[in-house]
Amino acid sequence: QVQLVESGGGSVQSGGSLTLSCEVSGLTFSQHCMGWFRQAPGKEREWVARINIDGRGTAYYAPSLQARFTASRDNAKNTSYLRMHNVKPEDTAIYYCAARAGWCSPSPMNFWGQGTQVTVAS
């Protein structure tokens, strides 16, 4: 059974930092593209970042977030991370991690976590 479990969400002040984690089990982690997505209240889910399986963990970001967010993976720990810096109230959302077999692409992800809430206070 594939499981993706996010953690690290919570409340943070505007301008602060937060790191989310996603622990994965039930699949070969190193052979799966990992992705981070978010859904703000009343809005559609949007892509945040993807981390490839190239051994270097090459990451791709939504252009508007690239300057403040850093995505990474630790294949030894079957865990992906999303580090958020200089957070803003508009970053308030439920953050989801997801996995897709093989190299990263815009194709839909295969597996999803349950999400973790991030709330940024102004």
Side-chain angles (χ1 to χ4, degrees):
Q1 181 181 1
V2 177
Q3 286 190 314
L4 287 75
V5 181
E6 301 97 337
S7 62
S11 296
V12 59
Q13 291 291 322
S14 182
S17 298
L18 199 65
T19 298
L20 307 181
S21 300
C22 174
E23 188 170 354
V24 180
S25 59
L27 53 75
T28 306
F29 182 78
S30 62
Q31 296 179 14
H32 281 71
C33 167
M34 293 302 301
W36 286 93
F37 297 77
R38 69 183 186 181
Q39 187 166 18
K43 295 187 177 180
E44 294 187 353
R45 186 171 59 196
E46 66 172 341
W47 167 61
V48 173
R50 287 185 176 88
I51 312 102
N52 226 331
I53 62 169
D54 60 354
R56 297 187 302 274
T58 300
Y60 310 89
Y61 300 92
S64 63
L65 301 176
Q66 185 167 4
R68 299 187 295 116
F69 288 16
T70 302
S72 62
R73 63 190 299 157
D74 185 337
N75 289 343
K77 296 182 178 179
N78 285 5
T79 301
S80 177
Y81 304 95
L82 182 69
R83 294 176 174 84
M84 308 164 59
H85 307 283
N86 189 23
V87 296
K88 303 176 181 181
E90 52 263 42
D91 294 324
T92 295
I94 299 174
Y95 284 73
Y96 299 89
C97 71
R100 182 180 184 277
W103 294 89
C104 289
S105 77
S107 299
M109 307 300 276
N110 301 128
F111 307 103
W112 291 85
Q114 82 289 350
T116 186
Q117 176 71 48
V118 172
T119 302
V120 181
S122 57

